[in-house]
Amino acid sequence: MNRRDWIIKSGLTGTGLLFLNNSIKAIHLTFSQSKSEFTKADFGPEFKWGVAAASYQTEGAWNVDGKSESNWDHFSRIHGKIERGESADTTTDFYHRFAEDIELIKKMNFKVFRFSLSWPRIIPNGTGEVNRNGLGFYHKVIDKCISENIEPWVMIYHWDMPQVLETQGGWANRQIIGWFSEFVEVVTREYANKVKNWMVINEQLSYTGMGYMQGHFAPGRKNLNAFMKSVHYSVLCNAEGGRIIRKNVPGANIGTAFVTSWIEPVDYQKKNIEAAKRLDALINRLFIEPTLGLGYPEDTLPILKKMRNLFEPGDEERMAFDFDFIGVQYYFRTIAKRSMIPGVRANQVPASKRGVPASELDVEIYPDGLYSILKKFSKYSGIKNIIVTENGTCVVDKLENGEVHDQVRIAYFKDHLAALLKAKDEGVNVNGYLVWSLTDNFEWDKGFRTRFGLVYVDFNTLKRTIKDSGLWFKAFLK
Ligand code: GCO
C-alpha cells in the first residue's frame, strides 16, 4: 500500500524526525531485549531473502525502444499531481543500468530479485502487436539474474498500464479482463522456461483506492462507482492471471501481493471499535477473501452488497484462485476512529497526531503489527504459504563522505524481522522476506522526496551508494 494512509495525509514536522530517532531507539531496545539477536539460520535454509522494485518507479526510458505512454507517464504530467512536480521519465534509469543494480543485489547477498513488467513496454497498444524490444529487455534482466545465481521473481502488474487502455476506462471497464489476460498470456509464454516464480498483481487496494476513489494516483478519479468496478474487475483479473500462469508455466510458484496494515481503534468506545472493523475489512479483507472463495466482506461493509450489480454469471467462482503463496506487504499500524467518510465511515488518526515513531510518510513504525498481521492471515485455511513481499521504510537519508548511516532503517528491519521470526516460531507458515526497496526510486505521487532504498541514488548523477542498511544485510545474509 502506498505508505501514506489513503484516507488522510499530513506532513511530518522536523521535530517529528527528532522524536523519530529517539523513539526508534526505544522500539529497537524493546524488541531486541524481547528477542535475543537472531541470525539468518534461525529462519531456516529454505527461507527466501530478496529485494523488490517496480518498473514505473525505476526504469525510466519512458518512450524508448517502442514503449508507449503509460497511465503514470500521463498522470505525472498533470500539474499538481506529483508533490514536487518531478517525473519518472528517467528516475534511476534501471532500463540502462539493470546489470549494475543486479550486481548490487549480489553484493548484498540476496538471492531473490522481485521486479515488475511494464505493460506499455511489451504491448504498446494495450492489446495486439507485441514490442520485441520490450520483451527483449526483460530477457536481459532475467538472464543477468540467472547469471548471478539470483532468482527472478516477476510481478506482472505493478500499476503501469498503457494510457490507451486507461482512456477506455482502465480497471473500471470490464473489458480489462480480456486485455489483462492477453498481457499475462504473452509474458508467461515468453518467459516460462526461465521464470518459475510469478506474482499476478501488486496491491489491488492501492491503485483502485488511490486511483479511482481518492484521486491521488493514476488515473486520478474520485468516483465510488468507478472504484467498485475497479475492485471487482481487479479481483477477477487477479484470479484469471493465476489460472493463465498455471496453464503456461509448468511447475510455477504462483502468488500475488496484498496491502496489509495492523488496525486498532483509537479507544474502546463502541463507535471506534466498529470503525476499526470496517477499516480492517477495507484494507485487510476486501481482496484476499474473494480470492479464497469467501466473497466480499459484506458482513462488515454492507456497501459492498452493491458489488452484486457488477456480477455476471460465473463471477463468484472465477474470483477465486488457489495461489501457491500469498504476498503480505506490511509497513505500519493504522489507528482508526469513526468518521463520516462515505461507505467505510472510518478514518485514520495520523501518526504525527499521536506522537509515535513515524516514517517520512507519517505512518506509524510498529514492528509488532507484522507479527499480528501474520498471525491474522495464517488463520485463513486457504493460504498455503506466506511470503512478506514488501517491508521497509522511508527516513531522511544523508550521503556523507560516500556513506549513508541509516541506523533508523536498520532498527526498522531488525525489529520487523524479529516480529516475523516470532510468528514463524509460533507455527505461521511464512517462508520469505523481500525488502522494499533495492534502490531509492520514484515514490508515486511523492516523487523522489521519500527514499526506501537499501541503495542510495543521487538523482543528479544516478550514482549508487549502498547504505549502512544494505551493508547490514550483506553481513546478516553472508
Ligand atoms: C506499495 C508499492 C510500492 C511503494 C512502497 C512504498 O506497496 O505501495 O508496492 O510501489 O513504493 O510500498 O510506499
Side-chain angles (χ1 to χ4, degrees), residues 1-3 57 158 202-203 331 390 436 443-444 452:
M1 172 176 187
N2 201 281
R3 289 299 127 268
Q57 295 180 270
H158 200 131
N202 179 68
E203 296 206 349
Y331 289 87
E390 280 185 29
W436 185 269
E443 179 54 29
W444 308 108
F452 278 88

Side-chain angles (χ1 to χ4, degrees), residues 82-139:
I82 308 300
E83 184 180 277
R84 301 187 305 193
E86 295 159 327
S87 97
D89 288 0
T90 304
T91 175
T92 71
D93 193 31
F94 178 80
Y95 186 78
H96 296 107
R97 298 164 192 253
F98 66 91
E100 174 189 352
D101 287 351
I102 293 166
E103 283 159 17
L104 287 170
I105 297 172
K106 176 85 173 182
K107 199 177 280 184
M108 293 186 285
N109 291 322
F110 288 102
K111 288 286 183 200
V112 167
F113 178 36
R114 170 199 151 181
F115 60 92
S116 72
L117 305 176
S118 170
W119 189 344
R121 205 179 285 286
I122 291 172
I123 311 179
N125 297 321
T127 62
E129 191 186 349
V130 165
N131 174 24
R132 288 299 322 170
N133 291 330
L135 289 175
F137 168 62
Y138 295 107
H139 272 297

Side-chain angles (χ1 to χ4, degrees), residues 230-244:
S230 70
V231 169
H232 188 50
Y233 305 148
S234 291
V235 167
L236 288 167
C237 285
N238 185 56
E240 190 61 23
R243 284 186 282 274
I244 294 168

